[in-house]
Amino acid sequence: MKIDKFRNLKTTTVAFVLILLMVSSLYAMLPIKAQVIPGEGGTTITPDNTQWSTTIPSGVTPYTIIYPKAYLSFSPNPIGLNQMLLVNMWLTSPCDANRYGAGYTVSIIKPDGTTDTVGPMHSYVADGTCWFQYIVDQVGTWQLKFDFPGQVLSSRNIC
């Protein structure tokens, strides 16, 4: 008799746990309302976070010089007329936790030879990345060029 009660309790507990797991897994499948932020990704240029200096002040000898590599990627490729192009850019080596890359600019040369310039923009703080979206309005071959003017950082803020 005691064994039957124990089996019933054990069976009921296992069934309850299984039902609880199945119900909780349904919540994982519900759609999420993500926040959409239009525009570009990176640190917004404001009066409080103005662009870092790109020239070494006179009379100052650099403690170290870092030569970052600039990268640019875009998708989709190929792309259709009036479709959204996602442009990503980043530098290596990225800065540390309290700084951002300043003055990122992308020149977009359209098939008709005209040029659109996006920027200057700052990267996200600490990782050197930045992005923006662009609508393709002509058919043909497009060219993109990422420019970074360089930065001067004080000796206590070396990447």
Side-chain angles (χ1 to χ4, degrees):
M1 191 73 156
K2 288 183 179 182
I3 294 175
D4 287 340
K5 284 185 178 181
F6 180 71
R7 280 187 190 155
N8 286 341
L9 179 64
K10 185 177 178 184
T11 303
T12 304
T13 303
V14 168
F16 178 75
V17 169
L18 287 174
I19 290 170
L20 188 64
L21 287 172
M22 286 189 287
V23 169
S24 65
S25 68
L26 291 176
Y27 282 105
M29 292 185 242
L30 292 176
I32 298 172
K33 293 183 180 179
Q35 181 180 5
V36 176
I37 302 172
E40 61 188 49
T43 306
T44 306
I45 298 175
T46 66
D48 295 338
N49 70 351
T50 56
Q51 190 168 320
W52 293 86
S53 173
T54 58
T55 57
I56 299 170
S58 64
V60 174
T61 302
Y63 174 75
T64 188
I65 297 175
I66 300 170
Y67 298 97
K69 289 185 180 179
Y71 294 91
L72 177 83
S73 72
F74 52 90
S75 65
N77 184 18
I79 190 168
L81 186 62
N82 295 320
Q83 287 186 330
M84 184 79 67
L85 180 69
L86 174 63
V87 180
N88 294 291
M89 64 211 91
W90 66 96
L91 295 176
T92 60
S93 72
C95 297
D96 66 14
N98 65 346
R99 284 198 326 276
Y100 51 86
Y104 291 12
T105 304
V106 176
S107 300
I108 302 171
I109 303 168
K110 297 181 176 190
D112 67 2
T114 59
T115 301
D116 280 348
T117 301
V118 179
M121 300 172 282
H122 291 337
S123 73
Y124 281 103
V125 174
D127 71 1
T129 65
C130 191
W131 65 270
F132 66 90
Q133 295 174 326
Y134 186 87
I135 304 271
V136 171
D137 61 358
Q138 296 179 15
V139 175
T141 301
W142 290 70
Q143 298 176 30
L144 288 86
K145 180 184 175 197
F146 172 32
D147 290 308
F148 173 64
Q151 281 178 253
V152 176
L153 306 169
S154 67
S155 60
R156 67 185 191 291
N157 292 328
I158 301 297
C159 282

